[in-house]
Amino acid sequence: MVNQTYTVDVLVVGGGTGGTAAAIQAARRGAKTILVSEFPWLGGMLTSAGVSVPDGNELETFQTGLWGAFLQELRQRQPGGLDNSWVSFFSYDPQIGAEIFADWVQELPNLHWISGQVPIDVFCQGDSITGVRFADFAVTAKIILDGTELGDLLALAEIPYRWGWELQSEWGEPSAPVDFNSFTQKYPVQAPTYVVIMQDFGDAIAPEIPAAPNYNPSQFTDAWDGYGAETFLNYGRLPGNRFMINWPICGNDYGQGVGRLIESDVSRGEFIQESRWHSQNFAHFIQNQLGRSYGLAEKVFPHAPTAFALHPYYRESRRLLGLTTVREQDILPIAEGRVAPIFNDAFALGVCEAIAVGNYANDHHYPGVQFPLQPKSIRWGGRWTGTPFTIPYSSLIPATTDGFLVCEKNISVSHIANGATRLQPVVMGIGQAAGMAAAMCVELDCQPRHLPVRSLQTALLEDNRSKTAIIPLFNLPPNRSDWLHWQLYYLNNPQAYPVSGYCPCPSENEYPDSAFDKALIRESNCFKGIFSRLEQQEYRFVVTAPAAYQGQNWQLVTLRSHIDEQLRAYPHEQLVTLWGRHNHFGNWLLVEHLKEG
């Protein structure tokens, strides 16, 4: 029984990474907004799903928009900093992430957040979606956004969507299969992971982790072979001697009957229960193998048992059938280049529709299966990263339905390309753009398909709270005075976008006077030592001072373009003074500043 009906400008259903970003951005733009979430924490993958060691968009030039603002808040709030793991440069307590999102929502009087609710039905008028019904209330809105983890509104509204694989004949994607087979049938989408947080109890004996039903230790036998137990644990190390267990090699990825996620509420519940048991069994195995000093973490998530995330980490959902589909070709590097195209055959001819940026390597998860993909990894800053790519606005818009946008992993994307577009920073950027678009559609009284994309792009670039890059350039950090100029230049002249990903005018003389630079240096430590170049984009550093680190051999890495240029030019086996942050668990020094001698 519906007891109350709310009427607003914008309704966002789902409080995940994209939905949270969309609601915040729509409300900041001035739209009267309601955000309805299933869980008591906002942020999805970044918080309630427990993946508080995010991948992608790590380079300084890609730390923009709400993603960049989130990182800045984490740096201020996380005791001891974010250098805790070796798989990411950002490792934090998920509760702190949830507090950031809750604070951002709380400061907006025109944003009403309702938690603990899931959509039950949708209201339609012709080809438009006009409202959503929940258990005890309904909401009507001018623009409705699907920010659910599995694209549930797409199913409820009968908006056409994809689920599963596309063959190579569909779009000519080089990594797509030629024919459907037993593998594509077994794993129609990538395997989710039910994250569990473990804790090192030191000299104390941790409570025993019981085995869940169907425990089979042979599933986990080779989990950390080739890495070693300590390296395995430090993969997703969190502050406070905790460990995020989200391990793909004989670990807790779970894909048995993954199609049940969209068959019925009952079958979805069965799959979720099994995936949680699987993670419990992996934690049980880890404790048995590595000792009783390791147990389930205490007081992490707001339910019992507190070590398990609020829901699985879903890598793939239903995917919209949109005006444009992001394909594998759209995320792979241009010939002889280090960036993906910013427009191509799938987009409007000669028009760059970019509204969000990503750079993660294409990464697919199928338990026990190595699935080869076209490479998009590159060496940069002394480490591996990925080819930057863009998300077009029209991939958020249904082919035939009005009043509706998507803002999560449910964009119009191929199964293959989803392996790169699904990452947390990309989805946050998609959400920010979708929220901005929804608010602007209300302002202009137009449908999303009729919103001028250039108006949306300009609004994102010029946002007074969290301006966001939409053209990926390695050497254009957001603190540069010419940042907006070059972003607009390549929007106006997409054919001039450099295959190197570098602006022609770096204006390096700005860096010494940058307050942003000085703040980073102040937060860093000073080290002296011998610089060595093992090969292109691989640097080592033997510490000579301070004495506490003397003789240690570290990898040198950076997220900053001008430091990357200095490292590439620095003489081999020379004395150097560096300012940076040492990550013991990755055995690297993240360099923020350097000088000779």
Side-chain angles (χ1 to χ4, degrees), residues 13-20 38-39 41-49 146-153 163 261 268 311-318 408-410 427:
V13 181
T17 302
T20 301
E38 180 176 356
F39 303 102
W41 278 7
L42 295 174
M45 298 181 283
L46 291 165
T47 55
S48 55
D146 186 350
T148 61
E149 292 289 336
L150 291 167
D152 291 339
L153 284 189
W163 172 266
L261 285 171
R268 180 183 294 188
H311 59 89
Y313 168 33
Y314 297 109
R315 292 182 174 87
E316 193 168 353
S317 76
R318 299 176 181 92
E408 251 289 338
K409 296 175 289 288
N410 53 1
V427 173

Side-chain angles (χ1 to χ4, degrees), residues 30-72:
K32 185 179 179 182
T33 305
I34 284 181
L35 168 61
V36 182
S37 70
E38 180 176 356
F39 303 102
W41 278 7
L42 295 174
M45 298 181 283
L46 291 165
T47 55
S48 55
V51 194
S52 57
V53 188
D55 289 312
N57 288 44
E58 79 286 16
L59 305 187
E60 178 192 27
T61 56
F62 306 148
Q63 292 180 30
T64 66
L66 288 173
W67 166 242
F70 181 65
L71 293 180
Q72 291 285 26

Side-chain angles (χ1 to χ4, degrees), residues 194-511:
Y194 211 120
V195 169
V196 58
I197 308 295
M198 296 188 70
Q199 186 167 329
D200 184 351
F201 286 79
D203 295 332
I205 296 177
E208 183 178 2
I209 304 171
N214 303 320
Y215 177 58
N216 179 3
S218 66
Q219 292 180 307
F220 312 119
T221 302
D222 301 321
W224 49 83
D225 282 11
Y227 288 87
E230 183 178 3
T231 301
F232 155 71
L233 289 171
N234 289 335
Y235 167 87
R237 190 182 185 100
L238 303 177
N241 290 320
R242 291 173 172 173
F243 309 94
M244 179 200 70
I245 306 300
N246 170 30
W247 185 252
I249 306 167
C250 302
N252 54 331
D253 287 359
Y254 188 76
Q256 295 298 318
V258 68
R260 289 177 290 170
L261 285 171
I262 65 166
E263 289 173 2
S264 69
D265 290 343
V266 171
S267 64
R268 180 183 294 188
E270 290 172 349
F271 179 90
I272 291 171
Q273 178 65 74
E274 289 174 19
S275 64
R276 181 165 156 170
W277 279 343
H278 186 65
S279 284
Q280 180 178 332
N281 284 332
F282 189 35
H284 172 81
F285 177 84
I286 292 167
Q287 187 181 62
N288 278 358
Q289 294 294 309
L290 303 184
R292 284 287 292 278
S293 62
Y294 299 106
L296 295 179
E298 299 173 340
K299 299 180 181 178
V300 183
F301 298 100
H303 66 171
T306 66
F308 289 88
L310 296 175
H311 59 89
Y313 168 33
Y314 297 109
R315 292 182 174 87
E316 193 168 353
S317 76
R318 299 176 181 92
R319 292 171 281 112
L320 173 71
L321 194 68
L323 294 177
T324 292
T325 299
V326 180
R327 315 155 303 168
E328 186 182 24
Q329 299 95 311
D330 305 324
I331 63 170
L332 295 177
I334 300 168
E336 308 300 322
R338 291 165 66 82
V339 292
I342 58 172
F343 73 92
N344 54 40
D345 294 343
F347 300 0
L349 185 62
V351 176
C352 175
E353 289 193 339
I355 46 82
V357 168
N359 77 321
Y360 195 62
N362 202 1
D363 179 31
H364 281 226
H365 286 239
Y366 311 104
V369 177
Q370 290 289 329
F371 181 70
L373 290 151
Q374 287 291 111
K376 65 180 296 291
S377 297
I378 58 173
R379 293 285 296 188
W380 194 96
R383 56 181 294 277
W384 285 103
T385 184
T387 303
F389 58 88
T390 59
I391 303 293
Y393 173 55
S394 53
S395 67
L396 281 57
I397 305 171
T400 57
T401 304
D402 284 331
F404 189 87
L405 287 165
V406 294
C407 60
E408 251 289 338
K409 296 175 289 288
N410 53 1
I411 64 169
S412 185
V413 59
S414 73
H415 169 73
I416 295 292
N418 169 79
T421 63
R422 65 179 174 81
L423 277 300
Q424 300 96 325
V426 188
V427 173
M428 185 175 269
I430 290 168
Q432 182 173 0
M436 182 73 83
M440 294 180 71
C441 286
V442 172
E443 293 169 15
L444 299 173
D445 191 24
C446 72
Q447 290 296 333
R449 70 185 67 249
H450 299 138
L451 178 67
V453 69
R454 176 51 59 84
S455 298
L456 172 59
Q457 291 166 328
T458 303
L460 291 167
L461 289 170
E462 297 181 351
D463 184 64
N464 59 3
R465 286 286 300 272
S466 300
K467 65 181 183 181
T468 184
I470 55 179
I471 300 294
L473 292 158
F474 289 112
N475 61 336
L476 192 66
N479 59 309
R480 281 255 303 270
S481 62
D482 56 353
W483 181 84
L484 180 60
H485 163 77
W486 285 110
Q487 288 285 318
L488 290 172
Y489 176 80
Y490 290 117
L491 279 179
N492 291 324
N493 303 278
Q495 70 284 351
Y497 180 56
V499 298
S500 66
Y502 282 79
C503 287
C505 302
S507 304
E508 289 179 13
N509 60 339
E510 291 191 31
Y511 286 108

Side-chain angles (χ1 to χ4, degrees), residues 177-192:
V178 175
D179 297 299
F180 297 118
N181 52 48
S182 58
F183 165 59
T184 61
Q185 183 176 3
K186 181 177 182 179
Y187 295 123
V189 295
Q190 293 189 62

Side-chain angles (χ1 to χ4, degrees), residues 37 50 76 103 133 145 169 176 232 264 395 406 424 514 589:
S37 70
Q76 294 173 21
D103 288 349
R133 181 168 65 87
L145 287 80
S169 56
F232 155 71
S264 69
S395 67
V406 294
Q424 300 96 325
S514 167
L589 181 69

Side-chain angles (χ1 to χ4, degrees), residues 4 14 19 29 31-32 117 125 147 273 277 423 431 457 460 541 575 592:
Q4 183 172 1
R29 179 76 182 188
K32 185 179 179 182
Q117 298 284 331
Q125 288 184 358
Q273 178 65 74
W277 279 343
L423 277 300
Q457 291 166 328
L460 291 167
F541 177 69
L575 188 66
E592 304 287 8

